[in-house]
Amino acid sequence: MTDRSTIDIGLARRLVDSQFPQWSELPISGVEVDGWDNRTFRLGSELTVRLPTGDWYAKQVEKEQRWLPALAPQLPLPIPTPVAKGAPDAGFPYPWSVYRWLEGELASKAHVGDLTAFATTLAGFLNALARADATDGPPPGEHNFFRGGPLATYEAEALEALDKLGDEVPREAVLRAWDDARSTAWDRAPVWLHGDVAVGNLLVRGGRLAAVLDFGSSGVGDPACDVVIAWTFLTGSSRDRFRAELDVDAGTWSRGRGWALWKALITLVGHLENDSPDAALPRRDIEQVLADRARD
C-alpha cells in the first residue's frame, strides 16, 4: 500500500505532464469525495486521473482498460470511459488511468427524487450487465477481492467479527441468516458483476440514477454481491421493486444477504473499536437484513 498522502495533485501533475503533454495545460484539482482504492483528480473539465493506492488495486487498471469499452455498448447507463493508460513513473509504482468525466452527484449525497424508480433503473442496469458477454471475462481473484466467488471466502472473517461483537448484535438471528446464505450456491455459467454497487459509485442527475462508476471490483461469477444495496440504501417498497425487477432467484438474494452481513459485521467491529458514531450505519444494515429474512 502506498502512503495516500504522497498521492497528491503534485504527483498527478508530474505524471500527466511527463506522459501526456497534450494535457499539460489543463488544471488538476481534487474531487469532493475521494475513493480508498484509488485517488481521483479532475483533469480539466472533461477528464479524471485515477491513481491506485496499492498493488491489489493496481491489478484493476488493465482490467478496466480492457473491458469497460467492451461493456459500455451493452449497458443502459453510462460507465467510465478509459481515455489513456499511464505507466509507473515519477516515483509512483503502479499503472494508472485517465477517464472521461461523468457529471452528477453521488447517490450518497444527492437527492433521489423517487427511490422506487431509482431501484427499477438500477435493477435494469444490473440485469443488462449480467446479460453481457462474459466470454474470457476475469474470474474472481485478488483483482476484485474475490467478488463473484463463493461466500465461504469470507466466512471465517464474518464469524470472527460476530464473536467479537458479542451482545452487540442478535447472534442467533445472524447465524440463521448466514446459514441460509451458505446453503445456496451459484450453479450456472458465470455472469458479469459490478462487485461494489454502493451509493459512492452511483451518480444521480435530476433526482435519477444517471451513471455507474468504479468497476475495479468487477468480474465474472456469482452476481449475489451486487444485491447488497438492497439493505444498505433501499427500503420498503423500493427494496421490493428492486427484488421484483432484478433477474435473480431466491438463493442469489439469500447470498446477497450474506454478503451484506459480512460487510456490516466487520465494519461494525471497526467502528466500535474506534468509538465511531458511524457504528449506527452497519447496525442498521444488519437490522435490515434480518428483517428481510424474517419476511421470507
Side-chain angles (χ1 to χ4, degrees):
M1 177 74 72
T2 298
D3 182 354
R4 287 177 57 82
S5 67
T6 67
I7 306 176
D8 56 14
I9 290 175
L11 173 63
R13 178 85 275 165
R14 292 191 297 274
L15 288 169
V16 170
D17 290 354
S18 65
Q19 297 185 36
F20 303 107
Q22 68 271 32
W23 296 324
S24 61
E25 299 301 318
L26 296 178
I28 296 180
S29 58
V31 296
E32 183 179 359
V33 179
D34 201 7
W36 181 260
D37 299 1
N38 296 266
R39 293 221 61 191
T40 301
F41 305 93
R42 192 160 184 180
L43 176 62
S45 61
E46 298 182 358
L47 302 171
T48 61
V49 175
R50 277 170 56 86
L51 305 177
T53 60
D55 54 356
W56 277 32
Y57 308 129
K59 297 176 188 292
Q60 301 169 356
V61 172
E62 185 64 40
K63 175 180 65 180
E64 291 191 332
Q65 293 277 336
R66 162 70 179 85
W67 288 104
L68 291 185
L71 288 172
Q74 304 179 68
L75 300 174
L77 292 173
I79 63 174
T81 302
V83 176
K85 178 185 174 184
D89 193 11
F92 184 70
Y94 308 123
W96 51 284
S97 296
V98 179
Y99 291 90
R100 291 288 177 199
W101 175 262
L102 287 169
E103 289 288 350
E105 295 180 274
L106 297 180
S108 56
K109 294 179 174 294
H111 171 69
V112 176
D114 183 333
L115 196 56
T116 299
F118 179 96
T120 301
T121 303
L122 179 58
F125 176 88
L126 293 175
N127 287 340
L129 179 62
R131 289 192 301 266
D133 185 0
T135 304
D136 297 328
E142 289 185 351
H143 68 93
N144 75 339
F145 302 92
F146 299 95
R147 299 296 194 275
L151 185 59
T153 303
Y154 288 106
E155 181 163 45
E157 192 174 64
L159 296 181
E160 179 184 3
L162 185 59
D163 287 341
K164 288 181 179 179
L165 289 169
D167 294 336
E168 294 286 346
V169 297
R171 178 183 177 86
E172 294 307 315
V174 169
L175 284 174
R176 286 193 294 271
W178 184 264
D179 288 344
D180 280 354
R182 287 280 286 112
S183 69
T184 70
W186 182 256
D187 58 2
R188 283 167 275 170
V191 300
W192 273 103
L193 54 109
H194 179 275
D196 191 14
V197 182
V199 290
N201 291 328
L202 302 173
L203 282 184
V204 172
R205 286 200 305 272
R208 298 176 177 272
L209 180 61
V212 179
L213 305 179
D214 195 351
F215 279 68
S217 294
S218 63
V220 297
D222 176 5
C225 59
D226 282 352
V227 180
V228 170
I229 197 167
W231 304 284
T232 58
F233 186 56
L234 304 178
T235 60
S237 60
S238 64
R239 183 185 300 140
D240 291 342
R241 176 63 64 83
F242 183 64
R243 184 172 186 176
E245 297 287 339
L246 195 62
D247 187 19
V248 299
D249 59 13
T252 303
W253 188 262
S254 180
R255 290 193 305 282
R257 285 196 292 246
W259 280 99
L261 278 176
W262 159 70
K263 187 61 176 291
L265 290 169
I266 63 172
T267 303
L268 181 56
V269 167
H271 285 332
L272 291 177
E273 288 177 348
N274 294 309
D275 196 27
S276 169
D278 290 337
L281 298 177
R283 283 189 191 279
R284 174 199 172 279
D285 295 346
I286 293 169
E287 291 171 357
Q288 293 290 316
V289 167
L290 298 181
D292 185 67
R293 179 189 175 273
R295 292 177 58 197
D296 275 359

